[in-house]
Amino acid sequence: MFDERIYNFSAGPSMLPLPVLQQAQKELLNCSGSGMSVMEMSHRSSSFDSIFQDTKGRLRKLLAVPEDYEILFLQGGATTQFSMVPLNLMGTTGKADYALTGHFSTKAYEEAQKYGVCSVACSSAETQHTTIPQQDELQLSPSAAYFHYCANNTIYGTEWNYVPQTGAVPLVCDMSSNILSKPIDVAKYGLIYAGAQKNMAPAGVTVVIIRKDLAGHAMEKTPVMLNYAVQIKGDSMHNTPPCWCIYMLGLVLQWLEQLGGLSEMEKINAEKAAVLYRVLDESKLFHGTAQPEARSRMNVTFRTGDKDLDALFVKEAANAGFSNLKGHRLVGGMRASIYNAMPIEGVHALADFMRKFEKEHI
Amino acid sequence: MFDERIYNFSAGPSMLPLPVLQQAQKELLNCSGSGMSVMEMSHRSSSFDSIFQDTKGRLRKLLAVPEDYEILFLQGGATTQFSMVPLNLMGTTGKADYALTGHFSTKAYEEAQKYGVCSVACSSAETQHTTIPQQDELQLSPSAAYFHYCANNTIYGTEWNYVPQTGAVPLVCDMSSNILSKPIDVAKYGLIYAGAQKNMAPAGVTVVIIRKDLAGHAMEKTPVMLNYAVQIKGDSMHNTPPCWCIYMLGLVLQWLEQLGGLSEMEKINAEKAAVLYRVLDESKLFHGTAQPEARSRMNVTFRTGDKDLDALFVKEAANAGFSNLKGHRLVGGMRASIYNAMPIEGVHALADFMRKFEKEHI
């Protein structure tokens, strides 16, 4: 039992900025003089419409989304996008390229095979997903309808440090675990999607940023809610959207603005990651699992090499108020997820705890 | 601008019980000594698992869901179920029967035509959806894979006051706008679904109650997240579920229990509806639009017959703190949605306001 808030290193859902939670708490019974909670507002009301449009506008500005792209707030998480992308985009040529750099990108590839011919553009399976393939290793099909990759691999702690060049083939990117962690050039992408529960909002909303000309080519039997053209036409309100999560996203975006925007966020995230990787590089007990050039700034994966010692570390850390440091069940070891909302104080405190643990157990 | 909470007659999202909102507000920064908000909990953590299982258990108990039925917490609203039902259930015979008693049941029918042969079992279109067909008017196909109907029609203010008898053909029911308003006999149904944002929780979670033997027959190209068998296997956690909405549903269920359960809720709802229908029956200005035997206890639709006067009523009511009384754009007039969370005091206050308005404008 904790009387105070703790440092939560969960891979997602994960920490939200404290000022965001405080604001949500303050106006939970009566938001902006509406006489009701955001959770009670009709999605067609002017009160909610202003929240919705404000959130969309802030996201467009923060990510510098060009005018020929639409921003959608959908449901179903990234896994729904694994189907929605091929259902809508595969049609033009019936083929797509997939980069396999971890668990979720492989899941996306498997799902897409229901809807067309999928080629493996690259795979990091040989290195147990501890690396990210380089540009010259990508096997590109000129006739692919799109090229799909996952920008950050939460389980393996790797992150693409470059944007693949695919010529005229539209780039589709799962940014669930690093969106808003740094500036991106949206114009390089055809479609970006991201489940919100890591860097954006509570679980329940999925952000899609789509170049408008890519919509409108859905397969015949595409479920209506999984049709981008329908969602664009309805401005994400073909039916009731996940209003509370959209509101929370709006508060998170305001927090990011006040912090100085995505360039500033990137600096902080780089510093946070550097603190933990320095501990790993200097340690005689812990070692990082990702290859240095592929290291993620969002998920720092490490281990001692001794399963019992790993388990002891996770347990003692949890008792000290550092929660969710256990690695994913597929790989074991430890994982510190340090998304935007994890303060640098939390990272320093964990670094100190790791050094102390090392002294006691080496 | 309202300093106090107002009476919100929105058709959905709609009011939540005040004690529920107060509890959510209280533990928003730190839930049950976890040191974090529910919105920050990993869905795989023991903290969230206990919330999830507790919510599911309470729902099973309140609705007396038999053991051979599974309860799912999904995303995408009822409109996603319009596709998911035929994708999963149509396969056995390729045919289904649809009862068309309003806007959403007709939308469900249109969507299902993508996936099989759909027959109109009955339609209330001839009466402008002011009636509900009787049992002997239903055209039933013995070879239908299921019979689909919508138990309450929010736009037209009508509600089925009986459960259709369809022999061996499984009954599929959209209960989005009257679930938990009264006890039901789940065993009469093959599948029940309901978007949460009227009687259950904030928008963002869809409850599905499915007889387990109906799952496992999905069409080949069914998107993975739209496959009931996948969702049953993953206990609604094939990916991250809408955790906050599930938590809020748990609080609403506790509120219902404390109130005395669904029999007690039904009595209160019957009384609330009677108060408003009495005003309409006695009025020389207002008249109800639904036929008396088809009247909904959830959505009371009415009008004066004069569009300008309707608009004036809606405006004056809003200024007096009775919000969202405007009827749906398809039908005009007025609509008072009085779901579970609308207190009887709100209904009495609206009745008084209507009588006062009538005196001033007749």
Side-chain angles (χ1 to χ4, degrees), chain A residues 77-121:
Chain A
T79 307
T80 299
Q81 295 305 309
F82 295 172
S83 318
M84 199 160 168
V85 164
L87 277 166
N88 286 268
L89 270 54
M90 189 79 92
T92 51
T93 73
K95 292 184 197 174
D97 283 348
Y98 277 76
L100 310 190
T101 58
H103 181 67
F104 292 104
S105 54
T106 304
K107 288 277 180 197
Y109 164 71
E110 288 166 0
E111 177 70 4
Q113 288 175 358
K114 285 180 189 165
Y115 308 107
V117 179
C118 298
S119 303
V120 177

mmCIF file of all heavy atoms in Angstrom, chain A residues 77-121:
data_model
loop_
_atom_site.group_PDB
_atom_site.id
_atom_site.type_symbol
_atom_site.label_atom_id
_atom_site.label_comp_id
_atom_site.label_asym_id
_atom_site.label_seq_id
_atom_site.Cartn_x
_atom_site.Cartn_y
_atom_site.Cartn_z
ATOM 1 N N GLY A 77 -7.272 -0.221 -30.557
ATOM 2 C CA GLY A 77 -5.836 -0.396 -30.383
ATOM 3 C C GLY A 77 -5.103 -0.690 -31.679
ATOM 4 O O GLY A 77 -5.706 -0.805 -32.759
ATOM 5 N N ALA A 78 -3.786 -0.830 -31.577
ATOM 6 C CA ALA A 78 -2.953 -1.093 -32.747
ATOM 7 C C ALA A 78 -3.358 -2.401 -33.423
ATOM 8 O O ALA A 78 -3.303 -2.518 -34.650
ATOM 9 C CB ALA A 78 -1.478 -1.137 -32.336
ATOM 10 N N THR A 79 -3.799 -3.377 -32.637
ATOM 11 C CA THR A 79 -4.146 -4.678 -33.231
ATOM 12 C C THR A 79 -5.296 -4.548 -34.223
ATOM 13 O O THR A 79 -5.359 -5.279 -35.217
ATOM 14 C CB THR A 79 -4.465 -5.708 -32.128
ATOM 15 O OG1 THR A 79 -3.367 -5.735 -31.210
ATOM 16 C CG2 THR A 79 -4.638 -7.099 -32.704
ATOM 17 N N THR A 80 -6.210 -3.625 -33.981
ATOM 18 C CA THR A 80 -7.270 -3.380 -34.966
ATOM 19 C C THR A 80 -6.683 -2.769 -36.234
ATOM 20 O O THR A 80 -7.112 -3.077 -37.350
ATOM 21 C CB THR A 80 -8.368 -2.483 -34.366
ATOM 22 O OG1 THR A 80 -8.942 -3.164 -33.243
ATOM 23 C CG2 THR A 80 -9.481 -2.187 -35.373
ATOM 24 N N GLN A 81 -5.641 -1.943 -36.065
ATOM 25 C CA GLN A 81 -4.970 -1.377 -37.237
ATOM 26 C C GLN A 81 -4.240 -2.450 -38.046
ATOM 27 O O GLN A 81 -4.084 -2.306 -39.257
ATOM 28 C CB GLN A 81 -4.001 -0.261 -36.827
ATOM 29 C CG GLN A 81 -4.695 0.944 -36.212
ATOM 30 C CD GLN A 81 -5.780 1.513 -37.109
ATOM 31 O OE1 GLN A 81 -5.555 1.776 -38.281
ATOM 32 N NE2 GLN A 81 -6.981 1.669 -36.566
ATOM 33 N N PHE A 82 -3.806 -3.517 -37.375
ATOM 34 C CA PHE A 82 -3.151 -4.617 -38.107
ATOM 35 C C PHE A 82 -4.075 -5.131 -39.220
ATOM 36 O O PHE A 82 -3.598 -5.588 -40.269
ATOM 37 C CB PHE A 82 -2.809 -5.785 -37.175
ATOM 38 C CG PHE A 82 -1.794 -5.480 -36.100
ATOM 39 C CD1 PHE A 82 -1.528 -6.407 -35.099
ATOM 40 C CD2 PHE A 82 -1.095 -4.278 -36.083
ATOM 41 C CE1 PHE A 82 -0.582 -6.145 -34.107
ATOM 42 C CE2 PHE A 82 -0.153 -4.008 -35.090
ATOM 43 C CZ PHE A 82 0.092 -4.946 -34.097
ATOM 44 N N SER A 83 -5.402 -5.098 -38.973
ATOM 45 C CA SER A 83 -6.377 -5.520 -39.989
ATOM 46 C C SER A 83 -6.792 -4.349 -40.876
ATOM 47 O O SER A 83 -6.964 -4.495 -42.087
ATOM 48 C CB SER A 83 -7.651 -6.071 -39.326
ATOM 49 O OG SER A 83 -7.371 -6.887 -38.219
ATOM 50 N N MET A 84 -6.994 -3.201 -40.244
ATOM 51 C CA MET A 84 -7.562 -2.046 -40.947
ATOM 52 C C MET A 84 -6.624 -1.548 -42.048
ATOM 53 O O MET A 84 -7.091 -1.160 -43.124
ATOM 54 C CB MET A 84 -7.832 -0.952 -39.908
ATOM 55 C CG MET A 84 -8.806 0.123 -40.342
ATOM 56 S SD MET A 84 -9.479 0.987 -38.882
ATOM 57 C CE MET A 84 -10.285 2.392 -39.686
ATOM 58 N N VAL A 85 -5.327 -1.584 -41.782
ATOM 59 C CA VAL A 85 -4.362 -1.129 -42.801
ATOM 60 C C VAL A 85 -4.483 -1.960 -44.077
ATOM 61 O O VAL A 85 -4.741 -1.414 -45.150
ATOM 62 C CB VAL A 85 -2.920 -1.122 -42.235
ATOM 63 C CG1 VAL A 85 -1.888 -1.038 -43.349
ATOM 64 C CG2 VAL A 85 -2.746 0.034 -41.253
ATOM 65 N N PRO A 86 -4.342 -3.301 -44.023
ATOM 66 C CA PRO A 86 -4.481 -4.052 -45.279
ATOM 67 C C PRO A 86 -5.883 -3.980 -45.878
ATOM 68 O O PRO A 86 -6.027 -3.914 -47.103
ATOM 69 C CB PRO A 86 -4.102 -5.489 -44.887
ATOM 70 C CG PRO A 86 -4.195 -5.547 -43.403
ATOM 71 C CD PRO A 86 -3.898 -4.167 -42.909
ATOM 72 N N LEU A 87 -6.927 -3.991 -45.033
ATOM 73 C CA LEU A 87 -8.296 -3.926 -45.571
ATOM 74 C C LEU A 87 -8.494 -2.674 -46.426
ATOM 75 O O LEU A 87 -9.251 -2.679 -47.386
ATOM 76 C CB LEU A 87 -9.323 -3.925 -44.424
ATOM 77 C CG LEU A 87 -9.708 -5.294 -43.854
ATOM 78 C CD1 LEU A 87 -10.442 -5.136 -42.531
ATOM 79 C CD2 LEU A 87 -10.578 -6.064 -44.853
ATOM 80 N N ASN A 88 -7.817 -1.594 -46.069
ATOM 81 C CA ASN A 88 -8.012 -0.327 -46.763
ATOM 82 C C ASN A 88 -6.949 -0.017 -47.809
ATOM 83 O O ASN A 88 -7.219 0.656 -48.787
ATOM 84 C CB ASN A 88 -8.028 0.830 -45.749
ATOM 85 C CG ASN A 88 -9.316 0.893 -44.950
ATOM 86 O OD1 ASN A 88 -10.247 1.580 -45.340
ATOM 87 N ND2 ASN A 88 -9.387 0.160 -43.857
ATOM 88 N N LEU A 89 -5.730 -0.502 -47.572
ATOM 89 C CA LEU A 89 -4.610 -0.059 -48.414
ATOM 90 C C LEU A 89 -4.094 -1.128 -49.374
ATOM 91 O O LEU A 89 -3.450 -0.813 -50.382
ATOM 92 C CB LEU A 89 -3.443 0.413 -47.529
ATOM 93 C CG LEU A 89 -3.418 1.897 -47.140
ATOM 94 C CD1 LEU A 89 -4.714 2.337 -46.501
ATOM 95 C CD2 LEU A 89 -2.244 2.184 -46.211
ATOM 96 N N MET A 90 -4.352 -2.398 -49.051
ATOM 97 C CA MET A 90 -3.791 -3.488 -49.852
ATOM 98 C C MET A 90 -4.372 -3.523 -51.249
ATOM 99 O O MET A 90 -3.702 -3.963 -52.201
ATOM 100 C CB MET A 90 -4.093 -4.815 -49.135
ATOM 101 C CG MET A 90 -3.419 -6.019 -49.703
ATOM 102 S SD MET A 90 -1.694 -6.123 -49.180
ATOM 103 C CE MET A 90 -1.838 -7.134 -47.709
ATOM 104 N N GLY A 91 -5.619 -3.061 -51.357
ATOM 105 C CA GLY A 91 -6.413 -3.216 -52.582
ATOM 106 C C GLY A 91 -5.724 -2.803 -53.868
ATOM 107 O O GLY A 91 -5.882 -3.474 -54.891
ATOM 108 N N THR A 92 -4.933 -1.745 -53.825
ATOM 109 C CA THR A 92 -4.404 -1.204 -55.076
ATOM 110 C C THR A 92 -3.512 -2.198 -55.822
ATOM 111 O O THR A 92 -3.594 -2.311 -57.033
ATOM 112 C CB THR A 92 -3.635 0.107 -54.816
ATOM 113 O OG1 THR A 92 -2.696 -0.117 -53.768
ATOM 114 C CG2 THR A 92 -4.583 1.222 -54.378
ATOM 115 N N THR A 93 -2.682 -2.942 -55.099
ATOM 116 C CA THR A 93 -1.802 -3.901 -55.790
ATOM 117 C C THR A 93 -1.897 -5.318 -55.216
ATOM 118 O O THR A 93 -1.377 -6.258 -55.816
ATOM 119 C CB THR A 93 -0.313 -3.479 -55.695
ATOM 120 O OG1 THR A 93 0.139 -3.723 -54.359
ATOM 121 C CG2 THR A 93 -0.127 -2.011 -56.033
ATOM 122 N N GLY A 94 -2.534 -5.458 -54.055
ATOM 123 C CA GLY A 94 -2.667 -6.787 -53.454
ATOM 124 C C GLY A 94 -1.406 -7.289 -52.769
ATOM 125 O O GLY A 94 -1.335 -8.429 -52.329
ATOM 126 N N LYS A 95 -0.394 -6.405 -52.668
ATOM 127 C CA LYS A 95 0.887 -6.800 -52.058
ATOM 128 C C LYS A 95 1.338 -5.759 -51.042
ATOM 129 O O LYS A 95 1.068 -4.571 -51.207
ATOM 130 C CB LYS A 95 1.985 -6.853 -53.122
ATOM 131 C CG LYS A 95 1.872 -7.931 -54.147
ATOM 132 C CD LYS A 95 3.129 -7.841 -55.022
ATOM 133 C CE LYS A 95 2.986 -8.580 -56.326
ATOM 134 N NZ LYS A 95 4.157 -8.347 -57.188
ATOM 135 N N ALA A 96 2.096 -6.199 -50.048
ATOM 136 C CA ALA A 96 2.674 -5.248 -49.096
ATOM 137 C C ALA A 96 3.974 -5.798 -48.536
ATOM 138 O O ALA A 96 4.183 -7.018 -48.511
ATOM 139 C CB ALA A 96 1.694 -4.959 -47.968
ATOM 140 N N ASP A 97 4.859 -4.891 -48.113
ATOM 141 C CA ASP A 97 6.135 -5.271 -47.494
ATOM 142 C C ASP A 97 6.066 -5.051 -45.989
ATOM 143 O O ASP A 97 5.566 -4.013 -45.539
ATOM 144 C CB ASP A 97 7.276 -4.403 -48.057
ATOM 145 C CG ASP A 97 7.706 -4.838 -49.452
ATOM 146 O OD1 ASP A 97 7.285 -5.936 -49.892
ATOM 147 O OD2 ASP A 97 8.447 -4.079 -50.095
ATOM 148 N N TYR A 98 6.578 -5.993 -45.237
ATOM 149 C CA TYR A 98 6.590 -5.871 -43.777
ATOM 150 C C TYR A 98 8.005 -6.041 -43.224
ATOM 151 O O TYR A 98 8.711 -6.991 -43.590
ATOM 152 C CB TYR A 98 5.654 -6.916 -43.139
ATOM 153 C CG TYR A 98 4.204 -6.462 -43.113
ATOM 154 C CD1 TYR A 98 3.433 -6.477 -44.275
ATOM 155 C CD2 TYR A 98 3.624 -5.972 -41.936
ATOM 156 C CE1 TYR A 98 2.117 -6.024 -44.269
ATOM 157 C CE2 TYR A 98 2.310 -5.525 -41.917
ATOM 158 C CZ TYR A 98 1.560 -5.557 -43.080
ATOM 159 O OH TYR A 98 0.265 -5.094 -43.074
ATOM 160 N N ALA A 99 8.386 -5.128 -42.349
ATOM 161 C CA ALA A 99 9.654 -5.239 -41.625
ATOM 162 C C ALA A 99 9.366 -5.918 -40.293
ATOM 163 O O ALA A 99 8.540 -5.428 -39.516
ATOM 164 C CB ALA A 99 10.250 -3.849 -41.402
ATOM 165 N N LEU A 100 10.043 -7.027 -40.037
ATOM 166 C CA LEU A 100 9.779 -7.785 -38.812
ATOM 167 C C LEU A 100 10.901 -7.538 -37.805
ATOM 168 O O LEU A 100 11.977 -8.129 -37.909
ATOM 169 C CB LEU A 100 9.658 -9.275 -39.127
ATOM 170 C CG LEU A 100 8.706 -9.659 -40.270
ATOM 171 C CD1 LEU A 100 8.502 -11.175 -40.317
ATOM 172 C CD2 LEU A 100 7.357 -8.964 -40.132
ATOM 173 N N THR A 101 10.627 -6.690 -36.845
ATOM 174 C CA THR A 101 11.661 -6.347 -35.860
ATOM 175 C C THR A 101 11.208 -6.624 -34.436
ATOM 176 O O THR A 101 11.827 -6.133 -33.493
ATOM 177 C CB THR A 101 12.046 -4.857 -35.971
ATOM 178 O OG1 THR A 101 10.866 -4.071 -35.778
ATOM 179 C CG2 THR A 101 12.664 -4.530 -37.322
ATOM 180 N N GLY A 102 10.161 -7.425 -34.303
ATOM 181 C CA GLY A 102 9.724 -7.747 -32.953
ATOM 182 C C GLY A 102 8.376 -8.443 -32.960
ATOM 183 O O GLY A 102 7.877 -8.867 -34.015
ATOM 184 N N HIS A 103 7.800 -8.526 -31.790
ATOM 185 C CA HIS A 103 6.564 -9.273 -31.581
ATOM 186 C C HIS A 103 5.387 -8.664 -32.339
ATOM 187 O O HIS A 103 4.680 -9.353 -33.076
ATOM 188 C CB HIS A 103 6.277 -9.294 -30.080
ATOM 189 C CG HIS A 103 5.048 -10.052 -29.697
ATOM 190 N ND1 HIS A 103 4.938 -11.411 -29.843
ATOM 191 C CD2 HIS A 103 3.869 -9.629 -29.183
ATOM 192 C CE1 HIS A 103 3.738 -11.816 -29.420
ATOM 193 N NE2 HIS A 103 3.079 -10.741 -29.014
ATOM 194 N N PHE A 104 5.176 -7.360 -32.162
ATOM 195 C CA PHE A 104 3.975 -6.748 -32.716
ATOM 196 C C PHE A 104 4.066 -6.543 -34.221
ATOM 197 O O PHE A 104 3.072 -6.698 -34.925
ATOM 198 C CB PHE A 104 3.643 -5.453 -31.961
ATOM 199 C CG PHE A 104 3.206 -5.727 -30.551
ATOM 200 C CD1 PHE A 104 4.049 -5.498 -29.477
ATOM 201 C CD2 PHE A 104 1.946 -6.270 -30.306
ATOM 202 C CE1 PHE A 104 3.648 -5.787 -28.179
ATOM 203 C CE2 PHE A 104 1.543 -6.567 -29.010
ATOM 204 C CZ PHE A 104 2.394 -6.323 -27.938
ATOM 205 N N SER A 105 5.256 -6.228 -34.733
ATOM 206 C CA SER A 105 5.378 -6.098 -36.184
ATOM 207 C C SER A 105 5.147 -7.449 -36.856
ATOM 208 O O SER A 105 4.591 -7.520 -37.957
ATOM 209 C CB SER A 105 6.744 -5.516 -36.565
ATOM 210 O OG SER A 105 7.784 -6.269 -35.998
ATOM 211 N N THR A 106 5.521 -8.535 -36.181
ATOM 212 C CA THR A 106 5.278 -9.870 -36.722
ATOM 213 C C THR A 106 3.784 -10.201 -36.679
ATOM 214 O O THR A 106 3.232 -10.801 -37.609
ATOM 215 C CB THR A 106 6.106 -10.919 -35.947
ATOM 216 O OG1 THR A 106 7.487 -10.527 -36.006
ATOM 217 C CG2 THR A 106 5.954 -12.302 -36.543
ATOM 218 N N LYS A 107 3.122 -9.789 -35.593
ATOM 219 C CA LYS A 107 1.661 -9.975 -35.494
ATOM 220 C C LYS A 107 0.957 -9.224 -36.632
ATOM 221 O O LYS A 107 -0.004 -9.724 -37.223
ATOM 222 C CB LYS A 107 1.148 -9.444 -34.150
ATOM 223 C CG LYS A 107 1.520 -10.305 -32.952
ATOM 224 C CD LYS A 107 0.538 -11.442 -32.807
ATOM 225 C CE LYS A 107 0.875 -12.313 -31.615
ATOM 226 N NZ LYS A 107 0.197 -13.622 -31.682
ATOM 227 N N ALA A 108 1.415 -8.011 -36.906
ATOM 228 C CA ALA A 108 0.814 -7.207 -37.977
ATOM 229 C C ALA A 108 0.958 -7.925 -39.320
ATOM 230 O O ALA A 108 0.018 -7.980 -40.119
ATOM 231 C CB ALA A 108 1.476 -5.832 -38.036
ATOM 232 N N TYR A 109 2.140 -8.500 -39.539
ATOM 233 C CA TYR A 109 2.434 -9.243 -40.775
ATOM 234 C C TYR A 109 1.523 -10.465 -40.907
ATOM 235 O O TYR A 109 0.938 -10.724 -41.965
ATOM 236 C CB TYR A 109 3.912 -9.639 -40.745
ATOM 237 C CG TYR A 109 4.356 -10.704 -41.704
ATOM 238 C CD1 TYR A 109 4.441 -10.450 -43.070
ATOM 239 C CD2 TYR A 109 4.734 -11.965 -41.236
ATOM 240 C CE1 TYR A 109 4.883 -11.429 -43.950
ATOM 241 C CE2 TYR A 109 5.174 -12.948 -42.100
ATOM 242 C CZ TYR A 109 5.244 -12.684 -43.457
ATOM 243 O OH TYR A 109 5.689 -13.657 -44.319
ATOM 244 N N GLU A 110 1.364 -11.196 -39.805
ATOM 245 C CA GLU A 110 0.521 -12.398 -39.844
ATOM 246 C C GLU A 110 -0.931 -12.048 -40.159
ATOM 247 O O GLU A 110 -1.600 -12.717 -40.952
ATOM 248 C CB GLU A 110 0.611 -13.135 -38.501
ATOM 249 C CG GLU A 110 1.956 -13.818 -38.297
ATOM 250 C CD GLU A 110 2.215 -14.265 -36.859
ATOM 251 O OE1 GLU A 110 1.336 -14.040 -35.993
ATOM 252 O OE2 GLU A 110 3.304 -14.818 -36.611
ATOM 253 N N GLU A 111 -1.416 -10.981 -39.547
ATOM 254 C CA GLU A 111 -2.812 -10.584 -39.774
ATOM 255 C C GLU A 111 -3.019 -10.137 -41.227
ATOM 256 O O GLU A 111 -4.038 -10.468 -41.848
ATOM 257 C CB GLU A 111 -3.187 -9.454 -38.805
ATOM 258 C CG GLU A 111 -4.595 -8.885 -38.982
ATOM 259 C CD GLU A 111 -5.714 -9.847 -38.566
ATOM 260 O OE1 GLU A 111 -5.403 -10.947 -38.055
ATOM 261 O OE2 GLU A 111 -6.887 -9.504 -38.778
ATOM 262 N N ALA A 112 -2.050 -9.401 -41.760
ATOM 263 C CA ALA A 112 -2.192 -8.852 -43.122
ATOM 264 C C ALA A 112 -2.248 -9.953 -44.175
ATOM 265 O O ALA A 112 -2.811 -9.753 -45.261
ATOM 266 C CB ALA A 112 -1.047 -7.883 -43.411
ATOM 267 N N GLN A 113 -1.683 -11.119 -43.861
ATOM 268 C CA GLN A 113 -1.692 -12.224 -44.829
ATOM 269 C C GLN A 113 -3.099 -12.692 -45.175
ATOM 270 O O GLN A 113 -3.317 -13.333 -46.205
ATOM 271 C CB GLN A 113 -0.850 -13.385 -44.296
ATOM 272 C CG GLN A 113 0.634 -13.064 -44.344
ATOM 273 C CD GLN A 113 1.497 -14.147 -43.721
ATOM 274 O OE1 GLN A 113 1.001 -15.138 -43.215
ATOM 275 N NE2 GLN A 113 2.793 -13.942 -43.747
ATOM 276 N N LYS A 114 -4.074 -12.361 -44.311
ATOM 277 C CA LYS A 114 -5.473 -12.687 -44.632
ATOM 278 C C LYS A 114 -5.951 -11.929 -45.869
ATOM 279 O O LYS A 114 -6.898 -12.331 -46.516
ATOM 280 C CB LYS A 114 -6.396 -12.266 -43.475
ATOM 281 C CG LYS A 114 -6.371 -13.137 -42.251
ATOM 282 C CD LYS A 114 -7.349 -12.548 -41.212
ATOM 283 C CE LYS A 114 -7.213 -13.254 -39.877
ATOM 284 N NZ LYS A 114 -7.860 -12.477 -38.788
ATOM 285 N N TYR A 115 -5.306 -10.778 -46.129
ATOM 286 C CA TYR A 115 -5.876 -9.840 -47.100
ATOM 287 C C TYR A 115 -5.025 -9.616 -48.351
ATOM 288 O O TYR A 115 -5.406 -8.846 -49.222
ATOM 289 C CB TYR A 115 -6.165 -8.507 -46.405
ATOM 290 C CG TYR A 115 -6.988 -8.679 -45.136
ATOM 291 C CD1 TYR A 115 -6.412 -8.532 -43.868
ATOM 292 C CD2 TYR A 115 -8.331 -9.037 -45.220
ATOM 293 C CE1 TYR A 115 -7.166 -8.728 -42.718
ATOM 294 C CE2 TYR A 115 -9.084 -9.232 -44.071
ATOM 295 C CZ TYR A 115 -8.492 -9.075 -42.823
ATOM 296 O OH TYR A 115 -9.244 -9.280 -41.690
ATOM 297 N N GLY A 116 -3.854 -10.261 -48.426
ATOM 298 C CA GLY A 116 -3.023 -10.063 -49.613
ATOM 299 C C GLY A 116 -1.690 -10.780 -49.464
ATOM 300 O O GLY A 116 -1.475 -11.538 -48.510
ATOM 301 N N VAL A 117 -0.819 -10.537 -50.417
ATOM 302 C CA VAL A 117 0.502 -11.167 -50.423
ATOM 303 C C VAL A 117 1.471 -10.277 -49.649
ATOM 304 O O VAL A 117 1.719 -9.132 -50.037
ATOM 305 C CB VAL A 117 1.008 -11.359 -51.868
ATOM 306 C CG1 VAL A 117 2.400 -11.984 -51.860
ATOM 307 C CG2 VAL A 117 0.023 -12.214 -52.660
ATOM 308 N N CYS A 118 2.021 -10.806 -48.576
ATOM 309 C CA CYS A 118 2.920 -9.999 -47.745
ATOM 310 C C CYS A 118 4.345 -10.525 -47.860
ATOM 311 O O CYS A 118 4.581 -11.720 -47.696
ATOM 312 C CB CYS A 118 2.478 -10.043 -46.292
ATOM 313 S SG CYS A 118 0.835 -9.360 -46.072
ATOM 314 N N SER A 119 5.269 -9.616 -48.108
ATOM 315 C CA SER A 119 6.675 -10.004 -48.188
ATOM 316 C C SER A 119 7.419 -9.509 -46.958
ATOM 317 O O SER A 119 7.110 -8.438 -46.430
ATOM 318 C CB SER A 119 7.321 -9.386 -49.427
ATOM 319 O OG SER A 119 6.618 -9.774 -50.582
ATOM 320 N N VAL A 120 8.408 -10.292 -46.545
ATOM 321 C CA VAL A 120 9.250 -9.875 -45.429
ATOM 322 C C VAL A 120 10.366 -8.991 -45.984
ATOM 323 O O VAL A 120 11.263 -9.467 -46.671
ATOM 324 C CB VAL A 120 9.848 -11.095 -44.702
ATOM 325 C CG1 VAL A 120 10.776 -10.646 -43.579
ATOM 326 C CG2 VAL A 120 8.732 -11.989 -44.162
ATOM 327 N N ALA A 121 10.289 -7.708 -45.698
ATOM 328 C CA ALA A 121 11.283 -6.764 -46.223
ATOM 329 C C ALA A 121 12.589 -6.884 -45.467
ATOM 330 O O ALA A 121 13.670 -6.606 -45.993
ATOM 331 C CB ALA A 121 10.753 -5.342 -46.128
#
